[in-house]
Amino acid sequence: MNILIVEDNIELAKEVSHFLSNSGHICKISNNCNEAYEEINSNDYDVILLDLGLPDGTGFDILKSVRKTASKTAIIIITARGELDDRINGLHLGADDYLTKPFALTELQARLFAVIRRIHGFTNNELKVHDFSIQLQDYKVSFNDILINLTKKEFDIFQYLVLNKNRVITRLQLTEHVWGDILEVNSDSNFIDVHVRNLRKKLDKHSKIDWFETVRNVGYRINI
């Protein structure tokens, strides 16, 4: 997942980022509201981990701003403010979960997957499509129990397309999701197409079903 950590405690933000990055996620840190708004307006995040007490504002303002758009971004509030009124307010404003400091990093990871499961409407950590199985937490793809050797980028692309099944996903959206920051890569190059082409070749060895569609001059879609 592409995750934005909005946290003014620099050491905590680095600790969370390091843990989640080692688990295969792409993380970016913002230490205040202004940085957070800049990131949110520039990139497409799957999850925002949001502290409430920030030096130049409150996480509630960021939460309200994100929920004014049609964004499917999951938001988990992470704060030392554990009062009931704060929790209720956060959930009413559109937060998907609430975690009070201090917390175990393993619990944070479990809540991340639980939120993503709810948003995308599946009940466990496995996605199935046309006899292919995607193990989200193990980063594995198999066809009828035959393991398929995908690179990390190929896995990320496949997972993102399946999670957004029947929707056209642009090359820019794939770039944001897989590489994390569109400002740091050349989205006009053909590197996305190269990864998708390699992914398709590996999948086609097992199934010739015409369900992985190229939408000319736009991007890709998986039809289920």
Side-chain angles (χ1 to χ4, degrees):
M1 289 178 284
N2 197 12
I3 301 173
L4 176 63
I5 303 166
V6 184
E7 169 62 62
D8 65 336
N9 183 323
I10 296 175
E11 291 304 315
L12 175 60
K14 288 181 179 178
E15 182 182 4
V16 171
S17 177
H18 179 73
F19 175 80
L20 294 178
S21 296
N22 284 343
S23 298
H25 305 294
I26 298 170
C27 297
K28 198 72 179 282
I29 296 173
S30 294
N31 298 127
N32 55 57
C33 290
N34 285 334
E35 290 179 3
Y37 286 128
E38 187 174 325
E39 282 298 321
I40 292 166
N41 291 331
S42 301
N43 296 288
D44 186 16
Y45 288 96
D46 300 300
V47 181
I48 298 175
L49 304 180
L50 182 60
D51 187 20
L52 292 182
L54 297 166
D56 57 346
T58 170
F60 287 135
D61 294 329
I62 295 174
L63 175 56
K64 287 187 284 188
S65 176
V66 172
R67 287 299 178 246
K68 286 180 181 178
T69 71
S71 171
K72 283 189 174 182
T73 302
I75 298 179
I76 300 177
I77 292 176
I78 297 177
T79 181
R81 293 162 59 173
E83 290 84 357
L84 180 60
D85 286 346
D86 282 336
R87 295 201 299 271
I88 292 174
N89 190 28
L91 295 172
H92 280 171
L93 289 174
D96 297 281
D97 204 348
Y98 200 114
L99 192 58
T100 303
K101 301 174 186 176
F103 54 85
L105 293 173
T106 50
E107 180 183 4
L108 171 60
Q109 186 175 48
R111 286 175 181 260
L112 281 172
F113 275 106
V115 164
I116 291 298
R117 284 200 302 268
R118 289 201 305 271
I119 289 174
H120 291 283
F122 58 97
T123 58
N124 52 43
N125 292 318
E126 182 180 39
L127 297 175
K128 293 202 172 185
V129 50
H130 297 296
D131 294 322
F132 290 91
S133 173
I134 304 175
Q135 301 292 332
L136 296 178
Q137 287 183 293
D138 295 330
Y139 306 102
K140 294 179 180 178
V141 174
S142 58
F143 178 81
N144 290 333
D145 297 324
I146 301 172
L147 189 64
I148 302 173
N149 184 25
L150 298 183
T151 67
K152 178 63 168 58
K153 298 303 184 188
E154 291 165 357
F155 176 90
D156 288 342
I157 291 169
F158 189 37
Q159 170 192 254
Y160 191 59
L161 289 173
V162 172
L163 285 173
N164 292 279
K165 58 188 179 183
N166 302 317
R167 291 179 54 206
V168 177
I169 300 299
T170 68
R171 290 172 176 82
L172 183 58
Q173 287 174 308
L174 280 174
T175 301
E176 290 177 332
H177 178 77
V178 176
W179 276 265
D181 195 333
I182 62 172
L183 301 179
E184 296 176 2
V185 295
N186 179 8
S187 58
D188 293 327
S189 71
N190 68 341
F191 66 96
I192 283 285
D193 300 302
V194 171
H195 284 287
V196 171
R197 184 163 59 247
N198 291 336
L199 168 63
R200 181 182 264 128
K201 285 180 181 178
K202 293 179 181 181
L203 298 178
D204 283 349
K205 288 180 181 179
H206 301 275
S207 174
K208 293 293 185 179
I209 300 174
D210 188 21
W211 51 275
F212 197 140
E213 178 185 0
T214 299
V215 181
R216 189 173 180 180
N217 298 325
V218 181
Y220 303 92
R221 173 170 53 205
I222 280 183
N223 300 306
I224 298 178

